[in-house]
Structure formats: C-alpha cells, structure tokens
Amino acid sequence: MTCYDRRDLGLLLLRLGTGGVLAAHGAQKLFGWFGGHGLEGTGQFMESVGYAPGRMSATAAGLAEAGGGTLLALGLATPAAGAAAAGAMAGAAAVHMPNGFFAQEGGYEYAASLGLAAAGLAVTGPGRLSLDHAIGHVLDRGWMVPAALGVAAAGTALVVGARTRRVRRRTEGEQEALFEE
C-alpha cells in the first residue's frame, strides 16, 4: 500500500466514523431512534436551552447532523456536508460551554471533537474512496470549501448569538448567593 492509498483509507475511516456518529445523533433528534427523544422532546429541550422556536431548531440541528453525517460517510458533497455538521456541533458546544471542556462534566469536548473532524473533512476532501471522487468531484470543488464554511459560520453565528441573547435576558435579575448556607 502506498502512502497515497493509506491517506485514502484513513479518510474513509474518518468519514465513516465521524459521519456515522453524526448521522445517528441526528436520527435521535429527528426520529427518536437510538434512545433519542424525536422532534417533540428535542424541540422542548432546545427551547429550554434558548434555541427558539424549539421544534424548528431541533429539525435544523437534526437535518444538519443526520444529513451532514450521512453525506460525510458517503463522501458526497463533502464541503457542504462537513460545514453543516460543524455548524450544528458549534451550536451544541455553545450549550455545553458553561460546563467547561471535558464531557464527563457536561462540557463541550464531544461536540468540539465532532465539529472539528467534520470541518477538517470539509477542508481536506473525501479522498479517492468516495462518491465525490466517483462522480468527478462535481460537488467538491475548491471554491465550495470556503463558501460552505463561510455560510455555515455566518448562520451559526446568527443562531448562537440569538440564543445567547435569549439566555441572558432569561437570567437577568437573578443573583447568585454570596455565601453558601
């Protein structure tokens, strides 16, 4: 196996692993599969953490994760797939940010790892063992990478910014105790 063949195999494994996890995560939101809560339960949760309207937010996150993950696993429309998944994970990381970095404390470690892997695949490309390669990279052009990442970053910034404002308004006037009893 040449170095180039190893790179393609490595990208395939990374795409299958990252894409598979993202697709399953999105299916939890959309369909309630794999122990998820479906759109109704996820929508209620999204509303409780400041993403409103909740059901629409759950649908958008579920589609970005399930759709982006499936496309990443297939190696199809890789720039758009990776950007969509990375945007969804940035939104998830914003929810977990107050808990610190590590997932065991409810932190953003997991979401950040998935988001960075998805963004890395968007930038690197899917490799030769992909549908993008099989169809001549018509959905994986060089200009599509900054375009997809730029659109996803702008959309994510707007959504996360609106969430942050909602959460701040909700907590205004609340004061933490100065001393524990």
Side-chain angles (χ1 to χ4, degrees):
M1 201 179 268
T2 68
C3 187
Y4 193 69
D5 292 332
R6 287 178 35 215
R7 181 180 153 262
D8 291 324
L9 183 58
L11 286 170
L12 173 65
L13 293 173
L14 184 59
R15 283 193 353 261
L16 290 174
T18 303
V21 168
L22 285 162
H25 205 63
Q28 288 180 307
K29 287 177 178 63
L30 294 173
F31 311 117
W33 297 351
F34 313 115
H37 300 288
L39 285 176
E40 190 63 33
T42 304
Q44 290 172 5
F45 170 75
M46 297 290 258
E47 192 86 34
S48 77
V49 296
Y51 287 112
R55 188 174 174 92
M56 186 188 317
S57 297
T59 301
L63 288 172
E65 292 169 7
T70 299
L71 291 172
L72 278 176
L74 295 170
L76 182 63
T78 304
M89 291 298 99
V95 171
H96 295 281
M97 191 75 68
N99 301 324
F101 179 71
F102 291 104
Q104 70 209 36
E105 302 294 324
Y108 62 95
E109 168 189 23
Y110 182 64
S113 296
L114 285 174
L116 288 169
L121 286 165
V123 171
T124 305
R128 290 187 299 178
L129 302 172
S130 67
L131 289 179
D132 273 336
H133 181 76
I135 64 171
H137 295 277
V138 296
L139 300 174
D140 178 33
R141 303 282 187 210
W143 64 267
M144 293 175 181
V145 175
L149 290 171
V151 167
T156 300
L158 289 172
V159 170
V160 171
R163 175 203 173 259
T164 301
R165 287 187 296 281
R166 270 188 222 94
V167 170
R168 279 193 189 137
R169 276 195 305 269
R170 198 183 295 166
T171 58
E172 276 180 1
E174 292 180 17
Q175 182 175 348
E176 292 184 29
L178 296 175
F179 304 98
E180 285 190 37
E181 295 181 22

